[in-house]
Amino acid sequence: MVIPLSTPATEGALLVPYPATLDVPHELVEHVAWLLYEHRRVRNTRWRKLGCFKQALLTLVHLRKNETFSQLGAGFGISQATAWRYVDEALDVLDSWAPGLHEALTGLGEGDHVIVDGTLIPTDRVRADEPYYSMKHRRHGMNVQVIARPDGTPLWFSRATPGRTHDLTAARAHSIVQACLTRQIRVLADRAYQGAGATFRTPYHHHSEQPEHYLQFNRDHARLRAPVERAFAQLKSWRLLRRARCSTRRIGTIVQAVHTLLTCNYSG
């Protein structure tokens, strides 16, 4: 008799580890390992079952492949609880190294321009969790704002706010509007940011008899703003952020941890 893998007969069964590869540079794993080593040294941490390199690899596997802690524990020879603690600690370390808004805008000023947009990090929520439901995306999640260079290179990711938060509200709450105004940085944004004023540039409203030069402006604006999708693609290349199963309170930390991984300089 053949028992399908999805039947309850396999629930609670031991997981079988297997060889696998991770599509990140070896230097990135070493860089995260050095950050963890410094963290352990400062705290005078006692002996751990996993060394710094293995803990860094464990964390990157979790972020990149979105594997559960049970799967991670089986693969690294540790318990599910230990895997959770190691990943949680590493995320906090990476979060502490994420650049702040003012640091990210250093070197930019009058005459420069950036692109601002928001994205939704999907989450597992029930219908009753109204604050996390985005009417725009028709699903539950967390709102994250991004500031990107004209070529789409991400400069800064915001903390996560509940999915129903309007993009303009989020931009004001994260001080993006004020920071760009202070530096006189021009901002390209979509219609969700209309009313931001300051240095924000948004498309014209659609009207039935809109002048041709307004339509041309909107087309040019959309073309210049399109590269922001590259920033979102880089963020969500870490599969955990395509469908987060964790607490919504931890998503902000995860986004900042990924931000560190995207912006860190490990070449030297």
mmCIF file of all heavy atoms in Angstrom, residues 126-171:
data_model
loop_
_atom_site.group_PDB
_atom_site.id
_atom_site.type_symbol
_atom_site.label_atom_id
_atom_site.label_comp_id
_atom_site.label_asym_id
_atom_site.label_seq_id
_atom_site.Cartn_x
_atom_site.Cartn_y
_atom_site.Cartn_z
ATOM 1 N N VAL A 126 -5.787 36.305 9.588
ATOM 2 C CA VAL A 126 -7.186 35.950 9.420
ATOM 3 C C VAL A 126 -7.980 37.190 9.053
ATOM 4 O O VAL A 126 -7.511 38.312 9.188
ATOM 5 C CB VAL A 126 -7.747 35.316 10.711
ATOM 6 C CG1 VAL A 126 -7.022 34.036 11.037
ATOM 7 C CG2 VAL A 126 -7.668 36.285 11.875
ATOM 8 N N ARG A 127 -9.186 36.991 8.607
ATOM 9 C CA ARG A 127 -10.008 38.096 8.123
ATOM 10 C C ARG A 127 -10.260 39.138 9.207
ATOM 11 O O ARG A 127 -10.412 40.323 8.924
ATOM 12 C CB ARG A 127 -11.336 37.558 7.600
ATOM 13 C CG ARG A 127 -12.245 38.617 7.010
ATOM 14 C CD ARG A 127 -13.446 38.006 6.309
ATOM 15 N NE ARG A 127 -13.036 37.207 5.174
ATOM 16 C CZ ARG A 127 -13.894 36.572 4.368
ATOM 17 N NH1 ARG A 127 -15.187 36.641 4.616
ATOM 18 N NH2 ARG A 127 -13.445 35.868 3.353
ATOM 19 N N ALA A 128 -10.263 38.714 10.470
ATOM 20 C CA ALA A 128 -10.549 39.649 11.566
ATOM 21 C C ALA A 128 -9.425 40.651 11.784
ATOM 22 O O ALA A 128 -9.634 41.686 12.417
ATOM 23 C CB ALA A 128 -10.799 38.876 12.855
ATOM 24 N N ASP A 129 -8.232 40.378 11.269
ATOM 25 C CA ASP A 129 -7.096 41.276 11.468
ATOM 26 C C ASP A 129 -7.174 42.446 10.489
ATOM 27 O O ASP A 129 -6.345 42.596 9.586
ATOM 28 C CB ASP A 129 -5.773 40.519 11.288
ATOM 29 C CG ASP A 129 -5.564 39.492 12.383
ATOM 30 O OD1 ASP A 129 -6.002 39.754 13.507
ATOM 31 O OD2 ASP A 129 -4.957 38.450 12.099
ATOM 32 N N GLU A 130 -8.170 43.287 10.676
ATOM 33 C CA GLU A 130 -8.450 44.377 9.736
ATOM 34 C C GLU A 130 -7.288 45.333 9.516
ATOM 35 O O GLU A 130 -7.045 45.756 8.382
ATOM 36 C CB GLU A 130 -9.681 45.149 10.199
ATOM 37 C CG GLU A 130 -10.097 46.252 9.238
ATOM 38 C CD GLU A 130 -11.327 47.002 9.742
ATOM 39 O OE1 GLU A 130 -11.947 46.540 10.704
ATOM 40 O OE2 GLU A 130 -11.633 48.046 9.160
ATOM 41 N N PRO A 131 -6.518 45.721 10.555
ATOM 42 C CA PRO A 131 -5.424 46.678 10.318
ATOM 43 C C PRO A 131 -4.387 46.197 9.316
ATOM 44 O O PRO A 131 -3.666 47.002 8.728
ATOM 45 C CB PRO A 131 -4.804 46.849 11.716
ATOM 46 C CG PRO A 131 -5.890 46.479 12.658
ATOM 47 C CD PRO A 131 -6.650 45.393 11.982
ATOM 48 N N TYR A 132 -4.303 44.888 9.101
ATOM 49 C CA TYR A 132 -3.279 44.341 8.212
ATOM 50 C C TYR A 132 -3.801 44.070 6.801
ATOM 51 O O TYR A 132 -3.057 43.587 5.955
ATOM 52 C CB TYR A 132 -2.712 43.047 8.802
ATOM 53 C CG TYR A 132 -2.132 43.250 10.179
ATOM 54 C CD1 TYR A 132 -2.860 42.890 11.310
ATOM 55 C CD2 TYR A 132 -0.881 43.812 10.365
ATOM 56 C CE1 TYR A 132 -2.350 43.094 12.593
ATOM 57 C CE2 TYR A 132 -0.358 44.024 11.622
ATOM 58 C CZ TYR A 132 -1.095 43.666 12.728
ATOM 59 O OH TYR A 132 -0.586 43.875 13.978
ATOM 60 N N TYR A 133 -5.077 44.392 6.573
ATOM 61 C CA TYR A 133 -5.663 44.108 5.256
ATOM 62 C C TYR A 133 -5.524 45.315 4.348
ATOM 63 O O TYR A 133 -5.989 46.412 4.660
ATOM 64 C CB TYR A 133 -7.139 43.731 5.388
ATOM 65 C CG TYR A 133 -7.750 43.264 4.082
ATOM 66 C CD1 TYR A 133 -7.479 41.987 3.604
ATOM 67 C CD2 TYR A 133 -8.557 44.110 3.331
ATOM 68 C CE1 TYR A 133 -8.020 41.551 2.410
ATOM 69 C CE2 TYR A 133 -9.106 43.683 2.131
ATOM 70 C CZ TYR A 133 -8.830 42.403 1.671
ATOM 71 O OH TYR A 133 -9.361 41.980 0.469
ATOM 72 N N SER A 134 -4.857 45.119 3.215
ATOM 73 C CA SER A 134 -4.664 46.182 2.239
ATOM 74 C C SER A 134 -5.759 46.102 1.182
ATOM 75 O O SER A 134 -5.857 45.107 0.451
ATOM 76 C CB SER A 134 -3.290 46.039 1.581
ATOM 77 O OG SER A 134 -3.181 46.890 0.451
ATOM 78 N N MET A 135 -6.577 47.146 1.089
ATOM 79 C CA MET A 135 -7.621 47.176 0.076
ATOM 80 C C MET A 135 -7.012 47.264 -1.321
ATOM 81 O O MET A 135 -7.571 46.752 -2.290
ATOM 82 C CB MET A 135 -8.546 48.374 0.317
ATOM 83 C CG MET A 135 -9.375 48.260 1.578
ATOM 84 S SD MET A 135 -10.506 46.838 1.543
ATOM 85 C CE MET A 135 -11.590 47.314 0.198
ATOM 86 N N LYS A 136 -5.858 47.912 -1.431
ATOM 87 C CA LYS A 136 -5.201 48.048 -2.728
ATOM 88 C C LYS A 136 -4.764 46.697 -3.271
ATOM 89 O O LYS A 136 -4.950 46.397 -4.454
ATOM 90 C CB LYS A 136 -3.992 48.976 -2.591
ATOM 91 C CG LYS A 136 -3.163 49.120 -3.863
ATOM 92 C CD LYS A 136 -1.977 50.036 -3.635
ATOM 93 C CE LYS A 136 -1.103 50.140 -4.887
ATOM 94 N NZ LYS A 136 0.084 51.021 -4.650
ATOM 95 N N HIS A 137 -4.186 45.863 -2.408
ATOM 96 C CA HIS A 137 -3.657 44.566 -2.833
ATOM 97 C C HIS A 137 -4.634 43.420 -2.588
ATOM 98 O O HIS A 137 -4.371 42.286 -3.000
ATOM 99 C CB HIS A 137 -2.337 44.276 -2.120
ATOM 100 C CG HIS A 137 -1.257 45.272 -2.416
ATOM 101 N ND1 HIS A 137 -0.454 45.196 -3.531
ATOM 102 C CD2 HIS A 137 -0.852 46.383 -1.748
ATOM 103 C CE1 HIS A 137 0.408 46.199 -3.531
ATOM 104 N NE2 HIS A 137 0.185 46.942 -2.461
ATOM 105 N N ARG A 138 -5.721 43.696 -1.879
ATOM 106 C CA ARG A 138 -6.742 42.695 -1.575
ATOM 107 C C ARG A 138 -6.163 41.507 -0.807
ATOM 108 O O ARG A 138 -6.507 40.350 -1.066
ATOM 109 C CB ARG A 138 -7.418 42.201 -2.865
ATOM 110 C CG ARG A 138 -8.060 43.286 -3.689
ATOM 111 C CD ARG A 138 -9.233 43.915 -2.975
ATOM 112 N NE ARG A 138 -9.872 44.968 -3.767
ATOM 113 C CZ ARG A 138 -10.889 45.712 -3.364
ATOM 114 N NH1 ARG A 138 -11.401 45.509 -2.162
ATOM 115 N NH2 ARG A 138 -11.413 46.647 -4.132
ATOM 116 N N ARG A 139 -5.281 41.789 0.148
ATOM 117 C CA ARG A 139 -4.718 40.724 0.969
ATOM 118 C C ARG A 139 -4.102 41.330 2.231
ATOM 119 O O ARG A 139 -3.905 42.539 2.315
ATOM 120 C CB ARG A 139 -3.681 39.919 0.190
ATOM 121 C CG ARG A 139 -2.467 40.709 -0.244
ATOM 122 C CD ARG A 139 -1.566 39.908 -1.172
ATOM 123 N NE ARG A 139 -1.222 38.612 -0.590
ATOM 124 C CZ ARG A 139 -0.492 37.690 -1.225
ATOM 125 N NH1 ARG A 139 -0.081 37.920 -2.465
ATOM 126 N NH2 ARG A 139 -0.202 36.551 -0.657
ATOM 127 N N HIS A 140 -3.802 40.476 3.194
ATOM 128 C CA HIS A 140 -3.184 40.928 4.430
ATOM 129 C C HIS A 140 -1.683 41.075 4.238
ATOM 130 O O HIS A 140 -1.061 40.339 3.472
ATOM 131 C CB HIS A 140 -3.455 39.935 5.566
ATOM 132 C CG HIS A 140 -4.887 39.882 5.990
ATOM 133 N ND1 HIS A 140 -5.818 39.088 5.371
ATOM 134 C CD2 HIS A 140 -5.552 40.536 6.981
ATOM 135 C CE1 HIS A 140 -6.997 39.245 5.957
ATOM 136 N NE2 HIS A 140 -6.870 40.114 6.939
ATOM 137 N N GLY A 141 -1.102 42.030 4.952
ATOM 138 C CA GLY A 141 0.336 42.223 4.843
ATOM 139 C C GLY A 141 0.800 43.437 5.616
ATOM 140 O O GLY A 141 0.057 44.040 6.393
ATOM 141 N N MET A 142 2.061 43.789 5.381
ATOM 142 C CA MET A 142 2.685 44.940 6.030
ATOM 143 C C MET A 142 3.229 45.881 4.962
ATOM 144 O O MET A 142 3.819 45.442 3.961
ATOM 145 C CB MET A 142 3.822 44.482 6.946
ATOM 146 C CG MET A 142 3.380 43.563 8.077
ATOM 147 S SD MET A 142 2.333 44.388 9.302
ATOM 148 C CE MET A 142 3.571 45.305 10.238
ATOM 149 N N ASN A 143 3.031 47.177 5.179
ATOM 150 C CA ASN A 143 3.465 48.202 4.226
ATOM 151 C C ASN A 143 4.921 48.579 4.503
ATOM 152 O O ASN A 143 5.293 48.882 5.630
ATOM 153 C CB ASN A 143 2.562 49.435 4.360
ATOM 154 C CG ASN A 143 2.935 50.553 3.407
ATOM 155 O OD1 ASN A 143 4.037 51.084 3.438
ATOM 156 N ND2 ASN A 143 1.997 50.921 2.565
ATOM 157 N N VAL A 144 5.742 48.564 3.447
ATOM 158 C CA VAL A 144 7.145 48.972 3.546
ATOM 159 C C VAL A 144 7.428 50.014 2.473
ATOM 160 O O VAL A 144 7.102 49.812 1.299
ATOM 161 C CB VAL A 144 8.101 47.769 3.369
ATOM 162 C CG1 VAL A 144 9.553 48.234 3.290
ATOM 163 C CG2 VAL A 144 7.927 46.786 4.515
ATOM 164 N N GLN A 145 8.021 51.137 2.871
ATOM 165 C CA GLN A 145 8.389 52.199 1.949
ATOM 166 C C GLN A 145 9.851 52.042 1.529
ATOM 167 O O GLN A 145 10.683 51.571 2.309
ATOM 168 C CB GLN A 145 8.207 53.561 2.619
ATOM 169 C CG GLN A 145 6.779 53.860 3.043
ATOM 170 C CD GLN A 145 5.863 54.097 1.862
ATOM 171 O OE1 GLN A 145 6.088 55.004 1.064
ATOM 172 N NE2 GLN A 145 4.835 53.277 1.744
ATOM 173 N N VAL A 146 10.137 52.427 0.300
ATOM 174 C CA VAL A 146 11.510 52.354 -0.196
ATOM 175 C C VAL A 146 11.896 53.678 -0.834
ATOM 176 O O VAL A 146 11.063 54.352 -1.457
ATOM 177 C CB VAL A 146 11.688 51.210 -1.215
ATOM 178 C CG1 VAL A 146 10.864 51.466 -2.470
ATOM 179 C CG2 VAL A 146 13.156 51.041 -1.597
ATOM 180 N N ILE A 147 13.152 54.053 -0.646
ATOM 181 C CA ILE A 147 13.749 55.164 -1.386
ATOM 182 C C ILE A 147 14.830 54.559 -2.261
ATOM 183 O O ILE A 147 15.717 53.854 -1.769
ATOM 184 C CB ILE A 147 14.366 56.218 -0.441
ATOM 185 C CG1 ILE A 147 13.300 56.799 0.472
ATOM 186 C CG2 ILE A 147 15.033 57.337 -1.241
ATOM 187 C CD1 ILE A 147 13.839 57.816 1.477
ATOM 188 N N ALA A 148 14.751 54.809 -3.566
ATOM 189 C CA ALA A 148 15.688 54.204 -4.509
ATOM 190 C C ALA A 148 16.342 55.268 -5.379
ATOM 191 O O ALA A 148 15.782 56.342 -5.607
ATOM 192 C CB ALA A 148 14.969 53.180 -5.385
ATOM 193 N N ARG A 149 17.518 54.956 -5.855
ATOM 194 C CA ARG A 149 18.197 55.821 -6.817
ATOM 195 C C ARG A 149 17.467 55.765 -8.159
ATOM 196 O O ARG A 149 16.641 54.876 -8.383
ATOM 197 C CB ARG A 149 19.646 55.380 -6.995
ATOM 198 C CG ARG A 149 20.528 55.566 -5.763
ATOM 199 C CD ARG A 149 21.986 55.243 -6.099
ATOM 200 N NE ARG A 149 22.839 55.349 -4.927
ATOM 201 C CZ ARG A 149 23.374 56.493 -4.507
ATOM 202 N NH1 ARG A 149 23.149 57.615 -5.199
ATOM 203 N NH2 ARG A 149 24.148 56.527 -3.448
ATOM 204 N N PRO A 150 17.779 56.676 -9.081
ATOM 205 C CA PRO A 150 17.117 56.662 -10.394
ATOM 206 C C PRO A 150 17.283 55.356 -11.160
ATOM 207 O O PRO A 150 16.453 55.019 -12.006
ATOM 208 C CB PRO A 150 17.791 57.824 -11.137
ATOM 209 C CG PRO A 150 18.203 58.763 -10.048
ATOM 210 C CD PRO A 150 18.621 57.886 -8.903
ATOM 211 N N ASP A 151 18.363 54.594 -10.863
ATOM 212 C CA ASP A 151 18.559 53.323 -11.558
ATOM 213 C C ASP A 151 17.903 52.156 -10.826
ATOM 214 O O ASP A 151 18.023 51.000 -11.250
ATOM 215 C CB ASP A 151 20.051 53.043 -11.753
ATOM 216 C CG ASP A 151 20.802 52.893 -10.433
ATOM 217 O OD1 ASP A 151 20.181 53.082 -9.365
ATOM 218 O OD2 ASP A 151 22.016 52.598 -10.466
ATOM 219 N N GLY A 152 17.220 52.423 -9.714
ATOM 220 C CA GLY A 152 16.528 51.380 -8.970
ATOM 221 C C GLY A 152 17.307 50.808 -7.805
ATOM 222 O O GLY A 152 16.794 49.951 -7.079
ATOM 223 N N THR A 153 18.538 51.254 -7.593
ATOM 224 C CA THR A 153 19.325 50.773 -6.462
ATOM 225 C C THR A 153 18.685 51.237 -5.150
ATOM 226 O O THR A 153 18.480 52.440 -4.965
ATOM 227 C CB THR A 153 20.769 51.297 -6.526
ATOM 228 O OG1 THR A 153 21.356 50.902 -7.762
ATOM 229 C CG2 THR A 153 21.592 50.767 -5.359
ATOM 230 N N PRO A 154 18.350 50.326 -4.254
ATOM 231 C CA PRO A 154 17.696 50.745 -3.002
ATOM 232 C C PRO A 154 18.644 51.503 -2.089
ATOM 233 O O PRO A 154 19.785 51.082 -1.873
ATOM 234 C CB PRO A 154 17.260 49.421 -2.371
ATOM 235 C CG PRO A 154 18.184 48.396 -2.941
ATOM 236 C CD PRO A 154 18.502 48.867 -4.326
ATOM 237 N N LEU A 155 18.196 52.634 -1.575
ATOM 238 C CA LEU A 155 18.957 53.424 -0.623
ATOM 239 C C LEU A 155 18.495 53.170 0.812
ATOM 240 O O LEU A 155 19.293 53.160 1.739
ATOM 241 C CB LEU A 155 18.809 54.916 -0.923
ATOM 242 C CG LEU A 155 19.529 55.463 -2.147
ATOM 243 C CD1 LEU A 155 19.115 56.911 -2.386
ATOM 244 C CD2 LEU A 155 21.040 55.364 -1.973
ATOM 245 N N TRP A 156 17.180 52.970 0.962
ATOM 246 C CA TRP A 156 16.634 52.853 2.311
ATOM 247 C C TRP A 156 15.278 52.163 2.277
ATOM 248 O O TRP A 156 14.466 52.405 1.375
ATOM 249 C CB TRP A 156 16.480 54.255 2.915
ATOM 250 C CG TRP A 156 15.955 54.291 4.307
ATOM 251 C CD1 TRP A 156 16.644 54.023 5.455
ATOM 252 C CD2 TRP A 156 14.627 54.614 4.714
ATOM 253 N NE1 TRP A 156 15.826 54.161 6.549
ATOM 254 C CE2 TRP A 156 14.586 54.529 6.130
ATOM 255 C CE3 TRP A 156 13.473 54.972 4.016
ATOM 256 C CZ2 TRP A 156 13.428 54.784 6.849
ATOM 257 C CZ3 TRP A 156 12.312 55.228 4.734
ATOM 258 C CH2 TRP A 156 12.295 55.132 6.142
ATOM 259 N N PHE A 157 15.061 51.268 3.235
ATOM 260 C CA PHE A 157 13.761 50.638 3.440
ATOM 261 C C PHE A 157 13.242 51.050 4.808
ATOM 262 O O PHE A 157 13.993 51.089 5.788
ATOM 263 C CB PHE A 157 13.867 49.112 3.382
ATOM 264 C CG PHE A 157 14.170 48.567 2.014
ATOM 265 C CD1 PHE A 157 15.446 48.133 1.700
ATOM 266 C CD2 PHE A 157 13.185 48.493 1.044
ATOM 267 C CE1 PHE A 157 15.734 47.636 0.451
ATOM 268 C CE2 PHE A 157 13.456 48.000 -0.215
ATOM 269 C CZ PHE A 157 14.742 47.562 -0.513
ATOM 270 N N SER A 158 11.959 51.333 4.887
ATOM 271 C CA SER A 158 11.364 51.769 6.141
ATOM 272 C C SER A 158 11.022 50.585 7.033
ATOM 273 O O SER A 158 11.078 49.425 6.603
ATOM 274 C CB SER A 158 10.085 52.565 5.863
ATOM 275 O OG SER A 158 9.037 51.682 5.467
ATOM 276 N N ARG A 159 10.655 50.886 8.259
ATOM 277 C CA ARG A 159 10.049 49.882 9.115
ATOM 278 C C ARG A 159 8.683 49.512 8.547
ATOM 279 O O ARG A 159 8.083 50.277 7.790
ATOM 280 C CB ARG A 159 9.887 50.429 10.534
ATOM 281 C CG ARG A 159 11.197 50.688 11.251
ATOM 282 C CD ARG A 159 11.831 49.415 11.732
ATOM 283 N NE ARG A 159 13.151 49.633 12.287
ATOM 284 C CZ ARG A 159 13.896 48.661 12.800
ATOM 285 N NH1 ARG A 159 13.434 47.423 12.809
ATOM 286 N NH2 ARG A 159 15.088 48.921 13.294
ATOM 287 N N ALA A 160 8.196 48.346 8.921
ATOM 288 C CA ALA A 160 6.915 47.879 8.396
ATOM 289 C C ALA A 160 5.763 48.432 9.227
ATOM 290 O O ALA A 160 5.839 48.492 10.458
ATOM 291 C CB ALA A 160 6.869 46.360 8.398
ATOM 292 N N THR A 161 4.704 48.847 8.541
ATOM 293 C CA THR A 161 3.477 49.296 9.192
ATOM 294 C C THR A 161 2.323 48.438 8.684
ATOM 295 O O THR A 161 2.432 47.807 7.629
ATOM 296 C CB THR A 161 3.189 50.782 8.884
ATOM 297 O OG1 THR A 161 3.167 50.968 7.455
ATOM 298 C CG2 THR A 161 4.264 51.679 9.475
ATOM 299 N N PRO A 162 1.199 48.360 9.415
ATOM 300 C CA PRO A 162 0.066 47.529 8.977
ATOM 301 C C PRO A 162 -0.345 47.809 7.537
ATOM 302 O O PRO A 162 -0.282 48.949 7.068
ATOM 303 C CB PRO A 162 -1.044 47.902 9.965
ATOM 304 C CG PRO A 162 -0.300 48.263 11.210
ATOM 305 C CD PRO A 162 0.952 48.961 10.735
ATOM 306 N N GLY A 163 -0.773 46.768 6.842
ATOM 307 C CA GLY A 163 -1.035 46.839 5.415
ATOM 308 C C GLY A 163 -2.049 47.871 4.982
ATOM 309 O O GLY A 163 -1.998 48.345 3.843
ATOM 310 N N ARG A 164 -2.964 48.245 5.832
ATOM 311 C CA ARG A 164 -3.978 49.214 5.409
ATOM 312 C C ARG A 164 -3.449 50.654 5.443
ATOM 313 O O ARG A 164 -4.145 51.582 5.052
ATOM 314 C CB ARG A 164 -5.223 49.106 6.275
ATOM 315 C CG ARG A 164 -5.099 49.678 7.678
ATOM 316 C CD ARG A 164 -6.441 49.664 8.382
ATOM 317 N NE ARG A 164 -6.369 50.245 9.721
ATOM 318 C CZ ARG A 164 -7.413 50.312 10.551
ATOM 319 N NH1 ARG A 164 -8.582 49.840 10.166
ATOM 320 N NH2 ARG A 164 -7.278 50.843 11.753
ATOM 321 N N THR A 165 -2.213 50.837 5.927
ATOM 322 C CA THR A 165 -1.631 52.183 5.991
ATOM 323 C C THR A 165 -1.452 52.739 4.585
ATOM 324 O O THR A 165 -0.856 52.097 3.719
ATOM 325 C CB THR A 165 -0.264 52.163 6.699
ATOM 326 O OG1 THR A 165 -0.394 51.532 7.964
ATOM 327 C CG2 THR A 165 0.277 53.572 6.875
ATOM 328 N N HIS A 166 -1.961 53.931 4.344
ATOM 329 C CA HIS A 166 -1.817 54.573 3.041
ATOM 330 C C HIS A 166 -0.356 54.965 2.829
ATOM 331 O O HIS A 166 0.355 55.322 3.770
ATOM 332 C CB HIS A 166 -2.710 55.813 2.974
ATOM 333 C CG HIS A 166 -2.869 56.371 1.600
ATOM 334 N ND1 HIS A 166 -1.967 57.252 1.039
ATOM 335 C CD2 HIS A 166 -3.834 56.172 0.657
ATOM 336 C CE1 HIS A 166 -2.357 57.584 -0.177
ATOM 337 N NE2 HIS A 166 -3.490 56.937 -0.428
ATOM 338 N N ASP A 167 0.098 54.890 1.571
ATOM 339 C CA ASP A 167 1.500 55.190 1.277
ATOM 340 C C ASP A 167 1.896 56.598 1.723
ATOM 341 O O ASP A 167 2.994 56.802 2.258
ATOM 342 C CB ASP A 167 1.777 55.030 -0.222
ATOM 343 C CG ASP A 167 1.945 53.575 -0.625
ATOM 344 O OD1 ASP A 167 2.258 52.755 0.258
ATOM 345 O OD2 ASP A 167 1.770 53.261 -1.818
ATOM 346 N N LEU A 168 1.038 57.575 1.503
ATOM 347 C CA LEU A 168 1.364 58.944 1.897
ATOM 348 C C LEU A 168 1.456 59.062 3.411
ATOM 349 O O LEU A 168 2.361 59.727 3.944
ATOM 350 C CB LEU A 168 0.318 59.918 1.352
ATOM 351 C CG LEU A 168 0.514 61.397 1.727
ATOM 352 C CD1 LEU A 168 1.903 61.879 1.330
ATOM 353 C CD2 LEU A 168 -0.567 62.252 1.074
ATOM 354 N N THR A 169 0.543 58.405 4.114
ATOM 355 C CA THR A 169 0.591 58.406 5.576
ATOM 356 C C THR A 169 1.889 57.778 6.071
ATOM 357 O O THR A 169 2.536 58.292 6.992
ATOM 358 C CB THR A 169 -0.610 57.634 6.149
ATOM 359 O OG1 THR A 169 -1.822 58.238 5.692
ATOM 360 C CG2 THR A 169 -0.585 57.629 7.665
ATOM 361 N N ALA A 170 2.282 56.668 5.438
ATOM 362 C CA ALA A 170 3.524 55.994 5.832
ATOM 363 C C ALA A 170 4.732 56.875 5.549
ATOM 364 O O ALA A 170 5.655 56.969 6.362
ATOM 365 C CB ALA A 170 3.652 54.661 5.096
ATOM 366 N N ALA A 171 4.742 57.550 4.397
ATOM 367 C CA ALA A 171 5.873 58.410 4.042
ATOM 368 C C ALA A 171 6.028 59.555 5.034
ATOM 369 O O ALA A 171 7.148 59.932 5.402
ATOM 370 C CB ALA A 171 5.686 58.955 2.629
#
